[in-house]
Amino acid sequence: MTVGNRLTDVSHAIEMGTRAAEARYGRAFGIVEGYGGHGIGRHMHMDPFLPNEGTPGRGPMLAAGSVLAIEPMLTLGTGRTRVLDDQWTVTTTDGSRAAHWEHTVAVTESGPRILTLN
């Protein structure tokens, strides 16, 4: 989340953080497929979509004033999901537990600024 980096640099950092957690805790984590973070501005959910994994160095450049909701979504099993009949509830296809959390972060000239602390 620094000026001049690209969107997928953030995606790659989430992925590498997940892999580091696997090594630290001795268990595999699935990264939920098809869901991720997004831009925030005058509306809650805006472009660009921010995948939770990917090759670095791709996508739009991060500019000062850009704000993203970073939303890692991990499972203790598969990353594949299905939406239930209520068209709202999402579950993993293997029934494994999942977790989702979010921080809103702004790109500034002096580095990233986390807007959701406390």
Side-chain angles (χ1 to χ4, degrees):
M1 291 294 294
T2 58
V3 172
N5 279 355
R6 293 194 174 270
L7 183 69
T8 61
D9 295 332
V10 180
S11 302
H12 188 69
I14 295 167
E15 181 180 0
M16 292 299 94
T18 300
R19 301 304 167 229
E22 288 177 328
R24 180 176 181 180
Y25 297 109
R27 70 180 320 150
F29 295 109
I31 297 175
V32 175
E33 298 170 7
Y35 292 87
H38 51 84
I40 290 188
R42 296 188 183 272
H43 302 284
M44 180 66 71
H45 295 98
M46 298 177 62
D47 287 334
F49 173 71
L50 175 63
N52 286 318
E53 58 187 330
T55 304
R58 297 185 179 168
M61 296 282 268
L62 300 178
S66 300
V67 180
L68 295 174
I70 300 174
E71 301 188 49
M73 298 176 199
L74 305 179
T75 74
L76 293 177
T78 184
R80 292 186 298 270
T81 62
R82 65 185 172 104
V83 179
L84 300 185
D85 291 340
D86 65 7
Q87 298 301 306
W88 179 256
T89 307
V90 178
T91 65
T92 56
T93 57
D94 65 359
S96 63
R97 293 179 182 237
H100 163 239
W101 61 100
E102 177 176 344
H103 275 296
T104 302
V105 182
V107 177
T108 73
E109 291 292 344
S110 59
R113 180 173 174 202
I114 301 171
L115 303 176
T116 49
L117 287 176
N118 300 326

